[in-house]
Structures are given as structure tokens and as C-alpha cells.
Amino acid sequence: MGRMNLTTAGVLRAAADLADRGGYDAVTVSALARELGVQPASLYSHVRDRAAVLDGIHELALGELADRISTAIAGRSGRNALAGLIEAHRVFAAERPGRWTALQRPADEATARSESAQRVVSLIWAVFRGYELPEGELVHATRIVGATINGFLGLEAAGSFAHRPVETEQSWGRVLDVLDGALRAWPGGAAPDGAAAPGHPGADAALPAGTAAPGIHPTPTAQEATP
Amino acid sequence: MGRMNLTTAGVLRAAADLADRGGYDAVTVSALARELGVQPASLYSHVRDRAAVLDGIHELALGELADRISTAIAGRSGRNALAGLIEAHRVFAAERPGRWTALQRPADEATARSESAQRVVSLIWAVFRGYELPEGELVHATRIVGATINGFLGLEAAGSFAHRPVETEQSWGRVLDVLDGALRAWPGGAAPDGAAAPGHPGADAALPAGTAAPGIHPTPTAQEATP
DNA sequence: GACCCGAACCTACAGCCTGTAGGCACGATC
DNA sequence: GATCGTGCCTACAGGCTGTAGGTTCGGGTC
């Protein structure tokens, strides 16, 4: 076996594919090395450590998700755009379970500030443009829509809906209904100019760029929520 | 060091505490043994393997969560009960991050059918009784409410809302508003008798007992979503 | 009170994983 | 053709899981 001429990008891509095929936890340096026909130690020239591999999958996945969202909402607005947004997430989660799991882990600083993360946020906000949310409610809406989508897909992936595929599709339909309804009659006031209670719109301005994904990725697992 | 006279329950309790203090991933057989002043191999008489420890934490947490929900919704109904329900989740997640993380993992069969799991579901349905949902929509509502709560808390735990505590509290307020509004004007028809589309109420009867938590726990991490 | 037995914990070990250190070899460059 | 750097290697230290088999303590029995 001569030189494989690996690159960091190639290693990360292989890692992401391995995660999709064998499950997120199967992404070990050893398994990855086996996959690439190389000794484990050799990978450390291309990748700092295992955590860097996982972070790499996260960012890779973020970019791919942004691409999918982009095409899913193209030429659509309002409820249709929202449908495209959530469907893009669901299809991505189903087709790329390992990549999707990576998105649920806390993102490292660099990933959170990455161009991919910003693209995802921009696309979500583009969808919200079809609803007339007060400026200050954008952040909250992003968080809640993200929470619901990720929460639902998490439950689905964990098998909580197992063996009831028909009902699951109906539930998914309700997700769209509920979110569309919520955005249409947003509690903070639905008028473009902040109407009134219970939030003081304008108090929270739009997120400064660079603050990164303010509430859609990453998601669960409180691994380091240790106090 | 004489006999420690460990019990399975004691080991699991120590494991749960360790998870809360050191993070979910810190729950290794080795660390647990150190904690208990015992050699790693000794634990295998009390616990089948590491997975059994994690499952044990899951079920333990489920019971504790049920207790908290129970007191949080006692004597309340409608929006107040819903507020108690979601607040109980949030407080539990904040105070017991390790236990809460355990709840996000796929539950094993036994845990899913456990009495604790059933208690949680019953309590949620008790809250829904204050809203006039068609029978067939109970499942969907449970899933969506569970998805939103878990999704939000997941984002919070992952630090996605980091350094914006005020906004986070506002967002949390919106969660209650949105869920209350959704339940009040449920898309499948809000009348006690299933009005009409888009779901055929009655087609899906109430969940058979034994089917266990149909959509609130467990949650994310598609570890075994490998096709 | 001597004996026995089982439970509780131990040591030892095999196997896999991460990450570091240092070596060799191939190929590009001069 | 000699040199140098990069790409991958072997070797190893240290940690974790889980199995096998030994030892000791304490309670029941006669």
C-alpha cells in the first residue's frame, strides 16, 4: 500500500460517510484509519485529534444542509417556504443520519462562526420574511422553530414513534400546521411594528453578524453542561 | 476497605449523580468504580454492562421527572398546567443535566415500557385534558409539545443561546405562548368531537397501554439510526 | 463453637481505543 | 545523483470494557 495522499478534507468526508453508515459513535480514529487503508497514527498528520474530526463533520454537514435548504425554499414564500425549510431538515436527517447527529452536538467556536452556519441562519430568516414578525421576535422565532424541528426529528430518530409510520406522517403534518400558525399569529405581536406585550420588541435588535446560529444548530446532548 | 455492600440501585444512583457532576460521558465503569471505592470488575456483579448503567440512569430520571411534573401541575389546568409541565422539564434539565441527557438517549425496551414512562405520559395527557383536543390528536400533540420542549432545552444546553440570558428567558416565554396557542387552536380541529380534516380522528385510537411514552422521551442522537 | 456456603470483592488479563515519538522511504528539487 | 521534506509507518504508554477465576467475610446449621 503506497501513499494514499490523504487530505484533511478527504479524511473528513470519509468520516462523515462513516458516521452515516455505521452511526456517529462508530467514528473512531481507528475505524477511520481502517476505512482509509492507513494506520491510526497516520491520521494525526491530517487531523488534530478525534474531536477535530467530529467538529469537521459538523461543519461539513452544516454546509450541505444549507445547500438543501437553499434549493428547498427557492421560489417559495410563506407557508410553502416554511414547508420547504422543515422538509429539507427532515430529508437531510433521514438520508444522512450520522451527519445529522453531528449537528446535534455542541459546535465549537470556529464552526459556530463559520460561513455555513451563517448561511443556514440567513436562509431561515429569509423564510420568516414571508411572515410579518416584529424585528425583535426574529431571534425567538428562530429558536422555537429550530427547537421544534430538531426536537421532532430527534424523537423520530430515537425511535420514539416506532412502528407507527402513518401516524408519524400525520404528526409531521401537524408540525407544519403548528409552526405556520404560530408564525402567523406570533405572540409578541404580529404586526411589523411591534404591537405590544408580552415582549418589548425593539429591545432586542437583530443579531449582530458573527454571533452565528442563534438557535437552530447545534442541538441536544448536555455533555458539557456540567456545572 | 472492607465490603461496601453495594446494591444495583445504589450503583445506579451514584452513576446518575456522577453524570450530573461530571457530564454524561464521564459515566464509565472505571470512574463509577473509583467513585464507589471499588475495583471496576466488581461492579459487574451488580450491573450487566455499561449500557445497563446508562439505561438505569434513564429510568431513574424518568421517575424523578414524573414526580416533578406531578407536583408542578397539581391543582392547575389549562395554560397554567401547561406552564407547570414545561417548567418542570426545564428545571429538571437545569438541575440534573446528566440525568436529563440520559433521557435524550434512545430508551431500551424495558425502560420504554416502565411504569415511570407511563406516568410521564399520563401526566402530559392530564394537562391536555384542559384543552379540547379530539381523541385522535392526543398523540400528535404529545409529540409536538415534547419535541418543542426537548428541542428548546437541547439548544439551551448546547450553549446555542449562550451569553444572552435575558433573551433566553423571553424565548422561553414564547414557547409557552406558542404551545398554548397551538393547543387552543389545534390544526386537526379543536372540537371534542373530531370535526374534520386533515386527520381522521378515531382512526387512531388512544394509545394502547404498554406502548409507552409515545413521543416525549427519549430524544435525539441517532446513534443507531444506521441503516 | 466449628463448619460450610454463598455473596461481595479482588487480581489478572485480553482486547480495543487515543495520542505521542521517532523512523523510513518515496519523490520532487537542485 | 545527492538532498530534503512529506506521508505513512512501527512502537509504545495509558485508559477503558468485560471475562475468568481466586479469596475472604459473614450468616446459617448442627
Side-chain angles (χ1 to χ4, degrees), chain A residues 178 182 185, chain B residues 79 82 131 175-187:
Chain A
V178 164
Chain B
R79 185 186 161 106
L82 182 65
Y131 298 90
V175 170
L176 175 57
D177 293 336
V178 163
L179 291 180
D180 180 60
L183 290 171
R184 204 172 292 282
W186 192 256

Side-chain angles (χ1 to χ4, degrees), chain A residues 90-117:
Chain A
R90 191 167 184 231
V91 172
F92 186 70
E95 290 181 0
R96 304 276 185 262
R99 285 165 160 87
W100 187 78
T101 301
L103 289 179
Q104 312 309 113
R105 309 278 156 159
D108 69 329
E109 195 73 14
T111 301
R113 298 180 177 284
S114 68
E115 191 221 331
S116 299

Side-chain angles (χ1 to χ4, degrees), chain B residues 128-205:
Chain B
F128 288 174
R129 228 179 284 130
Y131 298 90
E132 296 182 342
L133 292 174
E135 269 293 314
E137 294 296 320
L138 265 183
V139 180
H140 305 310
T142 306
R143 289 172 174 177
I144 288 173
V145 169
T148 304
I149 296 173
N150 281 292
F152 188 94
L153 296 177
L155 290 170
E156 191 176 16
S160 296
F161 306 160
H163 309 309
R164 298 178 156 247
V166 177
E167 281 184 347
T168 299
E169 292 313 309
Q170 288 180 357
S171 295
W172 181 243
R174 298 292 185 282
V175 170
L176 175 57
D177 293 336
V178 163
L179 291 180
D180 180 60
L183 290 171
R184 204 172 292 282
W186 192 256
D193 38 290
H200 12 117
D204 13 297

Side-chain angles (χ1 to χ4, degrees), chain B residues 6-71:
Chain B
L6 302 177
T7 62
T8 299
V11 170
L12 294 180
R13 187 171 174 72
D17 291 345
L18 177 59
D20 286 335
R21 284 202 321 280
Y24 187 76
D25 286 354
V27 182
T28 66
V29 177
S30 300
L32 191 49
R34 265 192 300 274
E35 192 85 4
L36 293 166
V38 136
Q39 292 298 317
S42 304
L43 291 183
Y44 287 89
S45 343
H46 300 285
V47 146
R48 193 165 41 75
D49 57 10
R50 182 170 183 265
V53 174
L54 301 179
D55 287 337
I57 298 176
H58 192 129
E59 184 159 352
L60 180 67
L62 219 36
E64 293 176 359
L65 178 62
D67 292 342
R68 285 169 181 250
I69 294 174
S70 177
T71 78

